[in-house]
Amino acid sequence: MAVAFTFPGQGSQSVGMGKDLADAFPEARRVFEEVDAALGEKLSKLIWEGPEETLTLTANAQPALMAVSLAALRALESRGFSLKDKVSYVAGHSLGEYSALAAAGFVSVADAARLLRIRGNAMQAAVPAGEGAMAAIIGLEQADVEAACAEAGQGSVCQIANDNGGGQLVISGARAAVELAAKLCTEKGAKRALMLQVSAPFHSAMMMPAADVMRDALAGVAKAAPVVPIVSNVTVTPTSDPDEIARHLVEQVVARVRWRETVEWFGQNGIATLYEVGAGKVLSGLARRINRDIATGGIGTAVEVETALAALV
């Protein structure tokens, strides 16, 4: 049965993630060493020891989550697993696209770490603190959320940033507009409208300065066709073309993460099992709410590596 690998995004991080992988598999430990060397600092110490508030900073969380995902993959590969032979597609949620692409050989692990550090810093710097906001809207139809954003925007940025499925949409943009849109969504019948504790209005047009930074950064790294096609956040279509992938990574900074559609696409194109490679179980939970016919599994700990190997190799 066809398998796809998915890679988690920001919010899945936790202090201590990946430590048992590094202890159990030398190949996994080398990923953390490679990331430390690429960044010129001991990110691995922060990942394993904290403090949590420092790990959660965008510029740290993004390369940290990628490191854990790639450590899990290297652990699999050390035991005979081949991504090219066993997996039909890869996909990642926001920063997870970089993890997916490093896994598939589009960029090196070291370049992925540097790109994600640049991305995190650029996203943080794109909008002055306090000017942007994000809110989660639960239990309201997409058309109603879009209407609320349009009504609240009125010349300000206010848009859907994440379509996560299971009745969960995230909106992003100028603080006053997002706060008003959240209120309007409640009036339209949303079960909940929650302002999120985030540092910037991610995946909105306010991130355009960060998109410009990433265009330049991606132009400066070596790229290769991935050994497995990636299903893009931006287009929800598979591609292996390096130039197209780079364009999508730039567009992704300001565009909606279309995760519900991605999982639906997998179901429509023969994928029977989705493995979440890396920290946490966020994507697995979303997948179960979107399509219960697709089986899910996690590959983020040494035990989960062994379990996955039994099914995949």
Side-chain angles (χ1 to χ4, degrees):
M1 302 295 283
V3 169
F5 274 13
T6 63
F7 295 79
Q10 205 162 333
S12 291
Q13 69 276 356
S14 61
V15 173
M17 61 182 182
K19 182 65 166 64
D20 72 324
L21 289 170
D23 290 342
F25 299 94
E27 296 81 3
R29 177 170 287 276
R30 281 197 284 275
V31 171
F32 291 104
E33 293 169 350
E34 190 173 352
V35 170
D36 287 349
L39 298 179
E41 63 184 70
K42 278 281 188 180
L43 185 66
S44 58
K45 186 175 189 295
L46 176 61
I47 295 170
W48 297 333
E49 300 177 14
E52 183 177 2
E53 58 269 23
T54 306
L55 176 62
T56 301
L57 294 173
T58 300
N60 293 327
Q62 295 197 17
L65 284 162
M66 184 278 299
V68 176
S69 290
L70 269 292
L73 181 70
R74 295 290 183 260
L76 282 176
E77 291 174 338
S78 74
R79 298 286 297 276
F81 172 81
S82 167
L83 187 77
K84 181 180 180 180
D85 294 338
K86 298 294 185 178
V87 174
S88 298
Y89 304 101
V90 294
H93 192 286
S94 190
L95 83 88
E97 283 202 321
Y98 287 79
S99 306
L101 288 163
F106 171 74
V107 291
S108 69
V109 170
D111 279 339
R114 287 187 283 263
L115 286 168
L116 286 169
R117 171 56 58 81
I118 292 167
R119 184 178 186 266
N121 283 330
M123 292 170 78
Q124 189 64 60
V127 179
E131 290 190 9
M134 300 180 76
I137 311 299
I138 311 298
L140 190 64
E141 292 296 321
Q142 182 173 310
D144 290 327
V145 176
E146 288 176 336
C149 287
E151 184 178 344
Q154 299 296 318
S156 297
V157 173
C158 189
Q159 65 191 82
I160 294 175
N162 299 70
D163 178 3
N164 286 329
Q168 181 190 119
L169 294 160
V170 177
I171 61 175
S172 181
R175 177 169 293 278
V178 170
E179 289 173 345
L180 176 56
K183 179 175 180 292
L184 292 171
C185 286
T186 300
E187 293 172 357
K188 289 175 181 288
K191 293 178 182 176
R192 300 181 76 185
L194 307 171
M195 298 302 295
L196 300 179
Q197 296 301 311
V198 294
S199 56
F202 303 132
H203 295 290
S204 79
M206 295 178 78
M207 290 285 106
M208 189 58 73
D212 293 337
V213 170
M214 292 315 298
R215 183 179 294 106
D216 292 341
L218 283 157
V221 300
K223 297 176 282 291
V227 297
V228 174
I230 184 163
V231 180
S232 164
N233 281 186
V234 173
T235 64
V236 197
T237 55
T239 182
S240 297
D241 178 76
D243 292 336
E244 187 177 3
I245 290 167
R247 286 197 302 273
H248 292 165
L249 290 175
V250 173
E251 293 168 15
Q252 180 227 60
V253 177
V254 297
R256 182 181 306 181
V257 177
R258 298 164 63 185
W259 198 253
R260 172 186 57 82
E261 295 172 80
T262 298
V263 175
E264 290 174 348
W265 187 93
F266 283 138
Q268 293 159 4
N269 287 273
I271 296 300
T273 305
L274 290 176
Y275 280 98
E276 183 171 3
V277 185
K281 299 289 183 290
V282 171
L283 299 185
S284 297
L286 293 176
R288 285 192 292 272
R289 290 198 288 272
I290 295 165
N291 186 341
R292 291 189 175 276
D293 292 332
I294 299 180
T296 60
I299 309 175
T301 67
V303 170
E304 288 172 347
V305 167
E306 298 294 349
T307 301
L309 282 167
L312 290 168
V313 175

